[in-house]
Amino acid sequence: MSGQKEGNSLYAPPARVSEGAHFQTLEEYQELYDRSLEDPDAFWGEQAREHIDWFHGFNQVSDCDFSNGMVAWFLGGKLNVCHNCVDRHLETRGDKVAILWEGDEPGDVREITYRELHRQVCRLANVLRHNGIRKGDRVAIYMPMIPEAAFAMLACARIGAVHSVVFAGFSAEALRDRIIDAKCKAVITADEGRRGKKSIPLKRPVDEAVMACPTVEHVFMVRHTDAKVPFYEPRDIDLNEAMKNERPYCPVEHMDSEDTLFLLYTSGSTGKPKGISHTSAGYLLYTMLTHRYVFDYREDDIFACVADIGWITGHSYVVYGPLANGATTVMFESVPTYPDSGRYWDMVDRLQITQFYTAPTAIRAIARNGDAFVKMYDRSSLRVLGSVGEPINPESWQWYYDVVGEGRCNIVDTWWQTETGGIMITPLPGATPTKPGSATFPFFGIEPVLLDDQGCEIYGNDVSGLLAIKRPWPAMARTIQGDHVRFAQTYLDPFPGYYLTGDGCRRDEDGYYWITGRVDDVINVSGHRMGTAEVESALVSHPGCAEAAVVGFPHEIKGQGIFAYVILKEGFDPDAELVGELRNEVRTHIGPIAAPDHILITTGLPKTRSGKIMRRILRKIASQETGNLGDISTLADPSVVEVLIERRAEL
Ligand code: PRX
């Protein structure tokens, strides 16, 4: 039973997915989509009344004006996101599994029902309250993928504290900068994480970070691996012990629709990471609706998004979206290749997963180890296979579709960003005919446009341009922590009237959207956003580094790899030891995910006569696409190009 293949590249939704789906034809999607744009306030107002449990209804659907950075939704409404994700399910789904946790070892499973979730979240919320955390306070979360990470996020939401989850792969220094920027009052962490049998130190980097963070009063620590780690009382609090001493009930704070729910740091084209700020009602509604419709979620499904909660995908589709829908959400601690490349499908088989959501980089990493690892396991429970984080190359799409899904599942290639809060361009399972590599069409209420360099809209099909969004939507970021001017300057001011995404995009002859990748100095490494400026500033902090220029280059598994050109100060030898030190410098300042794949030591960079580095040329050299370098006559010293090409070939 294979999904019908139309023409060369159009795949009709498999019949078994369409059957009983929320949307079963493209016309059904189109009808609601049109309605959502005709009268957005009527559409969103209706959705918000239907799907959110309000303590007090809103009196205005939206108040938005891109020209002065104003975005607000569901004004005057009172709600609590934790109540919507937990409490409201107790009556009808108390015994349903809310979190299905799979640990590092296959089969090490914990099932947490909604009732249990409520109790744990209440206990944790009480611990926070009794240690002085109040509404509006910021709390950093630096945790492995364990249920306590979700408890911590929900507990913050319950008492109105703002969480800032920092991916546990970031270094102590990166954590410190984020804690300082958000003025966090506490950190929630664990002794260690565990991934593929390897221990990931957490408490130690937290100790190192917090030394330089005067705002932090307490460090709450979960005992996960029971590793021996330093413990400094009274600052440090054993979270497991403290929770035992708290009652399993904690009243919820009544929050305004526009109260901040969380901050999440992401990289931009300039040096400093941005604390993207999301608020309560709009984010909750949008993640809930996208989870329901993009994955065609139904009551008895077992939903698995294997992203880390340190990224927006983990926030929206491990925690908030699924729990708001009363779903069973899988939380996965390990890696796709442990103990072997069959891990995902072993899990799908054992846990009877119905929707599986991962990144192209993981698909590529396991696909190259052969089909046998997939075929060993039964995947008949699967209906929807999702992809996120970077463009999915058609070969990987095809492999996901044919081998993993056996032509019986709908692939949903979902385009979105930390700033968008939820999925923006995506097929709907059962309804949208798909094309390998295309994110297809916008979600309800989303109006994407393509702009030229002057900010003029490019109409019609078979065109390319800068991807922008023409009107606000409920889950869009509201500001950058501490820097609303930067928020406006980055997203709204470049082309008045539009939210600028930073991605390039093509709309094909059938109106399908194809994201072509970033058009700024942000690169996408294994689906993780990395600012080249951040890596450069880490490199130049090495005493031997006079200048650094970092670009992305195509990488077979990671999508993009990191390529660094470095000019040394006099007296430093360009030997392997120094290259190792430079790489370590990046690990220390940012984390292992930012370590360059290649470091090319050089004495010169291609610069214009005014001293500007021509990154276009550096990108081509790194990618070894030197057939067409374009005009290099404007360079101050064109001979440097030949030298770099030679050195690149030697790496
Ligand atoms: O370049 C786009 C790429 O990831 C960027 C957003 O990164 P981040 O904020 O970390 O969020 C990642 C998870 C939502 C985008 O600007 N991107 C994300 N999804 C896709 C994608 N590129 C192409 N296709 C996608 N499906």
Side-chain angles (χ1 to χ4, degrees):
M1 252 257 296
S2 176
Q4 185 198 349
K5 197 170 173 177
E6 294 172 354
N8 278 338
S9 57
L10 200 61
Y11 287 77
R16 95 184 237 287
V17 180
S18 297
E19 212 173 287
H22 290 291
F23 293 87
Q24 303 186 1
T25 63
L26 197 59
E27 290 69 37
E28 282 177 21
Y29 153 77
Q30 192 71 47
E31 201 187 306
L32 189 59
Y33 178 71
D34 291 346
R35 193 150 72 75
S36 73
L37 293 196
E38 264 156 35
D39 188 348
D41 276 6
F43 172 77
W44 288 118
E46 197 179 295
Q47 300 296 329
R49 275 186 285 272
E50 183 180 337
H51 295 292
I52 291 182
D53 223 1
W54 297 95
F55 297 137
H56 183 279
F58 51 92
N59 45 39
Q60 187 180 348
V61 175
S62 69
D63 183 4
C64 305
D65 178 359
F66 278 176
S67 70
N68 59 17
M70 171 71 184
V71 180
W73 287 84
F74 311 117
L75 292 86
K78 296 276 182 203
L79 78 164
N80 183 284
V81 170
C82 178
H83 166 88
N84 274 273
C85 290
V86 185
D87 305 42
R88 69 160 154 173
H89 304 308
L90 292 178
E91 204 175 311
T92 51
R93 303 186 178 99
D95 296 323
K96 179 174 175 175
V97 175
I99 297 178
L100 182 47
W101 176 77
E102 164 111 353
D104 193 38
E105 293 302 323
D108 180 12
V109 168
R110 252 173 91 185
E111 292 186 344
I112 292 141
T113 62
Y114 273 94
R115 201 176 317 286
E116 173 75 5
L117 179 64
H118 180 251
R119 292 186 180 148
Q120 299 284 17
V121 169
C122 284
R123 287 183 199 273
L124 209 162
N126 281 329
V127 173
L128 296 179
R129 264 202 180 133
H130 292 151
N131 285 284
I133 308 293
R134 298 278 174 268
K135 181 174 173 175
D137 287 342
R138 275 78 189 278
V139 176
I141 297 179
Y142 187 71
M143 296 273 271
M145 283 295 285
I146 54 176
E148 286 77 3
F151 303 164
M153 292 164 76
L154 292 163
C156 287
R158 191 169 191 86
I159 63 170
V162 174
H163 60 69
S164 167
V165 182
V166 179
F167 175 58
F170 278 119
S171 67
E173 233 175 83
L175 172 64
R176 177 200 66 195
D177 293 346
R178 286 158 176 76
I179 293 174
I180 291 174
D181 190 70
K183 303 181 186 68
C184 294
K185 204 166 164 185
V187 183
I188 307 179
T189 190
D191 44 8
E192 286 181 338
R194 187 82 87 198
R195 279 162 71 86
K197 266 206 160 34
K198 276 207 310 228
S199 293
I200 315 289
L202 296 173
K203 178 61 166 55
R204 284 174 195 276
V206 167
D207 288 339
E208 200 184 320
V210 165
M211 274 196 302
C213 302
T215 53
V216 172
E217 292 172 7
H218 287 295
V219 173
F220 302 96
M221 188 189 82
V222 175
R223 292 200 183 275
H224 178 47
T225 64
D226 270 329
K228 263 208 154 66
V229 290
F231 202 76
Y232 305 103
E233 282 169 307
R235 184 200 72 184
D236 292 351
I237 290 171
D238 182 321
L239 195 56
N240 307 75
E241 288 304 315
M243 280 168 71
K244 274 187 213 157
N245 274 327
E246 293 293 343
R247 68 187 280 234
Y249 180 78
C250 170
V252 297
E253 198 72 46
H254 286 210
M255 305 297 287
D256 189 274
S257 293
E258 281 298 324
D259 273 330
T260 307
L261 177 64
F262 66 85
L263 299 175
L264 183 58
Y265 284 82
T266 189
S267 295
S269 44
T270 55
K272 199 172 162 237
K274 308 176 271 199
I276 299 295
S277 167
H278 282 288
T279 57
S280 303
Y283 174 82
L284 174 72
L285 177 68
Y286 196 80
T287 52
M288 185 180 172
L289 287 185
T290 46
H291 171 256
R292 178 175 301 209
Y293 298 132
V294 173
F295 298 100
D296 185 38
Y297 168 71
R298 306 179 205 171
E299 185 66 39
D300 296 325
D301 286 342
I302 308 285
F303 178 83
C305 165
V306 289
D308 194 283
I309 47 133
W311 311 113
I312 190 71
T313 311
H315 283 60
S316 301
Y317 301 108
V318 175
V319 181
Y320 291 113
L323 294 178
N325 281 320
T328 298
T329 183
V330 172
M331 214 172 160
F332 179 50
E333 187 187 18
S334 194
V335 294
T337 47
Y338 178 76
D340 58 42
S341 296
R343 180 64 184 274
Y344 280 163
W345 324 120
D346 167 33
M347 212 161 62
V348 164
D349 190 354
R350 273 188 290 106
L351 307 181
Q352 288 293 290
I353 289 166
T354 42
Q355 291 95 342
F356 188 81
Y357 193 29
T358 189
T361 186
I363 299 169
R364 288 191 294 267
I366 52 186
R368 69 171 185 166
N369 293 332
D371 301 355
F373 283 113
V374 186
K375 292 184 171 156
M376 276 160 74
Y377 302 101
D378 178 52
R379 282 113 48 230
S380 58
S381 56
L382 286 171
R383 250 183 15 254
V384 181
L385 296 170
S387 172
V388 61
E390 51 177 317
I392 180 165
N393 47 314
E395 305 74 51
S396 301
W397 192 104
Q398 203 73 51
W399 185 82
Y400 208 21
Y401 184 84
D402 290 334
V403 180
V404 177
E406 297 174 302
R408 290 177 296 103
C409 299
N410 222 123
I411 307 270
V412 291
D413 172 9
T414 63
W415 174 84
W416 57 296
Q417 311 177 297
T418 305
E419 295 86 340
T420 70
I423 295 166
M424 301 285 281
I425 303 186
T426 176
L428 295 187
T432 315
T434 47
K435 295 186 184 190
S438 167
T440 77
F441 300 120
F443 190 72
F444 305 117
I446 304 302
E447 189 177 8
V449 293
L450 302 184
L451 302 180
D452 65 17
D453 292 340
Q454 265 65 54
C456 294
E457 273 186 46
I458 305 171
Y459 300 104
N461 288 340
D462 205 6
V463 289
S464 298
L466 304 170
L467 180 65
I469 312 293
K470 201 170 173 173
R471 57 174 92 205
W473 63 101
M476 79 175 281
R478 300 301 196 255
T479 192
I480 293 173
Q481 155 64 24
D483 202 346
H484 195 64
V485 170
R486 187 177 178 195
F487 177 76
Q489 281 172 350
T490 311
Y491 306 109
L492 305 176
D493 294 349
F495 300 118
Y498 303 95
Y499 163 85
L500 189 64
T501 67
D503 280 315
C505 182
R506 183 164 77 85
R507 189 163 54 223
D508 76 8
E509 56 285 2
D510 300 318
Y512 279 64
Y513 286 87
W514 301 71
I515 312 300
T516 48
R518 302 288 307 190
V519 293
D520 51 13
D521 289 324
V522 171
I523 54 181
N524 195 321
V525 185
S526 300
H528 302 149
R529 235 161 103 168
M530 200 66 62
T532 51
E534 274 175 77
V535 183
E536 286 163 6
S537 83
L539 287 166
V540 295
S541 60
H542 185 281
C545 180
E547 192 169 0
V550 169
V551 295
F553 71 103
H555 187 286
E556 210 184 320
I557 303 296
K558 299 180 186 177
Q560 280 189 299
I562 303 179
F563 197 105
Y565 297 85
V566 170
I567 299 178
L568 294 182
K569 286 187 187 151
E570 233 166 272
F572 286 86
D573 290 331
D575 53 15
E577 194 182 332
L578 190 96
V579 169
E581 284 177 24
L582 287 167
R583 202 169 265 129
N584 259 336
E585 200 72 34
V586 180
R587 288 172 172 268
T588 310
H589 287 284
I590 309 176
I593 45 171
D597 297 273
H598 295 295
I599 296 180
L600 190 158
I601 309 278
T602 175
T603 50
L605 290 168
K607 288 185 183 170
T608 59
R609 288 188 195 101
S610 59
K612 188 169 178 287
I613 296 175
M614 304 255 311
R615 291 173 172 277
R616 176 179 59 81
I617 295 178
L618 291 180
R619 277 194 285 269
K620 290 208 162 165
I621 296 173
S623 315
Q624 297 189 289
E625 285 172 22
T626 47
N628 173 26
L629 281 180
D631 185 11
I632 58 168
S633 63
T634 54
L635 292 179
D637 174 14
S639 71
V640 74
V641 172
E642 273 313 307
V643 179
L644 289 178
I645 293 174
E646 267 171 41
R647 303 294 302 277
R648 169 66 178 109
E650 289 161 10
L651 284 178

